[in-house]
């Protein structure tokens, strides 16, 4: 019903920047919360940043001041601008969207993940 497609991952040196994008498509009436999570090898998936329909943002302490989340509701897209990247930011990044469908049901959806690797 809803697909999330991520892009923008890759390999970057420490101190560099990347911008992740996640576009949602399908039977969407409205997207409530959108977020970015990451999962490093051998670790649990954790929240990196989230943004609700009103534009309120929340960040993990480890990325505050370096990452910025934003959304474009006309495009059903969420972005994550990542600056001053560190090797410990290396992980697979997943986007998530809590969606109200056109039949008024609500479901949560995940993207397929995009690899971010930061070299020292």
């Amino acid at each position: 019903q809803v697909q999330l497609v991520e892009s923008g991952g890759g390999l970057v040196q420490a101190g560099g920047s990347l911008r992740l994008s996640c576009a949602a498509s399908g039977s969407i009436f409205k997207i409530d919360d959108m977020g970015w999570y990451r999962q490093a090898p051998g670790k649990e998936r954790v929240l990196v940043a989230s943004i609700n329909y009103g534009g309120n943002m929340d960040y993990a302490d480890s990325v505050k001041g370096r990452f910025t989340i934003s959304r474009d509701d006309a495009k059903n897209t969420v972005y994550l601008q990542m600056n001053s990247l560190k090797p410990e930011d290396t992980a697979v990044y997943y986007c998530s969207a809590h969606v109200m469908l056109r039949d008024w049901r609500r479901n949560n959806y995940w993207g397929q993940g995009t690899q971010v690797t930061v070299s020292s």
Side-chain angles (χ1 to χ4, degrees):
Q1 290 171 318
V2 174
Q3 298 78 40
L4 302 182
V5 178
E6 298 143 343
S7 60
L11 173 64
V12 64
Q13 289 187 332
S17 298
L18 284 174
R19 188 190 194 213
L20 305 183
S21 300
C22 173
S25 63
S27 183
I28 299 169
F29 179 75
K30 182 172 75 75
I31 301 178
D32 297 322
D33 297 343
M34 304 184 83
W36 288 95
Y37 291 72
R38 68 186 182 189
Q39 186 167 19
K43 296 188 177 181
E44 294 184 350
R45 189 176 300 186
V46 296
L47 178 66
V48 175
S50 64
I51 184 167
N52 66 14
Y53 188 72
N56 295 311
M57 296 166 283
D58 192 24
Y59 296 93
D61 288 342
S62 59
V63 306
K64 283 180 180 177
R66 299 188 298 122
F67 290 11
T68 302
I69 190 170
S70 61
R71 61 189 286 170
D72 183 338
D73 290 326
K75 296 180 180 179
N76 287 332
T77 299
V78 63
Y79 305 96
L80 186 68
Q81 177 67 43
M82 305 185 293
N83 298 328
S84 302
L85 282 161
K86 304 175 181 180
E88 51 263 43
D89 294 318
T90 295
V92 178
Y93 284 70
Y94 298 90
C95 71
S96 174
H98 193 68
V99 178
M100 177 185 285
L101 303 173
R102 291 173 184 163
D103 61 6
W104 307 109
R105 290 181 297 129
R106 277 187 163 93
N107 282 328
N108 200 69
Y109 296 90
W110 291 91
Q112 80 284 359
T114 186
Q115 177 70 46
V116 171
T117 302
V118 184
S119 63
S120 57

